Amino acid sequence: PRSKWLPKRKQWYQRRVRGSIIRKNSCFLVSSLGTTLTREPNNISSKNSFKANGLVNKHVVGVKAADKGVILTTKSKGRLTNTTLSRGGRRTIKTIRAATAGSHYRPDLTDSAVRKASAILRSQKSKNVAKRRSRKYKN
């Protein structure tokens, strides 16, 4: 009798083979100061590892900047789903936590996604510049 886990195991091996091929031969690889980083889409930590790989994994979490806010990318059934989050920093972080750890999607990438989203939101804030006060001179 055939095992009922054979198709899942076969898919896992296929992802592992693809990951091992991409690990050393990819157009996204960047070497800097003795470490190898990657610029793959949907790779939050930019590490060149199977866990963080955005191309071969079944479940993917990606965060990138929008005009105003953040775009959260997830993968389900082979399709990438983009969600724009632009209703404030706390609400955005709460939504990212609910989408990753809250729904048991990729709880291991929750902290990296929150860090990246908060950095993007911090960079989008306008900086208040103090105006110089001009004094009236006495004649």
Side-chain angles (χ1 to χ4, degrees):
R2 290 181 54 145
S3 174
K4 62 181 178 179
W5 293 303
L6 186 62
K8 288 183 181 180
R9 184 173 286 173
K10 187 176 180 183
Q11 290 172 359
W12 184 82
Y13 280 122
Q14 288 174 349
R15 286 195 306 269
R16 274 298 201 193
V17 168
R18 287 187 209 129
S20 64
I21 291 170
I22 289 176
R23 185 172 48 139
K24 292 187 178 181
N25 304 317
S26 175
C27 63
F28 298 110
L29 293 179
V30 177
S31 296
S32 173
L33 300 173
T35 60
T36 305
L37 303 174
T38 181
R39 291 182 179 164
E40 296 168 355
N42 305 322
N43 186 340
I44 290 186
S45 61
S46 298
K47 291 180 183 175
N48 188 24
S49 65
F50 180 76
K51 175 184 170 184
N53 196 316
L55 299 174
V56 298
N57 275 329
K58 188 176 179 181
H59 297 291
V60 171
V61 176
V63 176
K64 59 184 175 181
D67 291 337
K68 190 173 185 181
V70 170
I71 298 174
L72 176 68
T73 305
T74 56
K75 187 189 226 182
S76 62
K77 297 183 181 177
R79 292 184 180 170
L80 291 175
T81 306
N82 294 327
T83 308
T84 304
L85 309 172
S86 61
R87 296 188 64 190
R90 291 180 187 219
R91 189 175 222 167
T92 298
I93 290 172
K94 185 177 179 183
T95 305
I96 291 172
R97 285 190 193 280
T100 55
S103 61
H104 305 292
Y105 184 72
R106 280 296 294 267
D108 55 332
L109 297 179
T110 301
D111 291 336
S112 299
V114 168
R115 279 193 193 120
K116 190 166 186 179
S118 61
I120 290 170
L121 292 172
R122 199 177 320 121
S123 71
Q124 290 176 347
K125 280 188 179 179
S126 61
K127 295 181 180 175
N128 296 333
V129 178
K131 292 183 180 179
R132 299 184 96 184
R133 299 176 77 189
S134 59
R135 296 184 179 187
K136 283 191 170 183
Y137 292 106
K138 293 183 181 178
N139 289 335

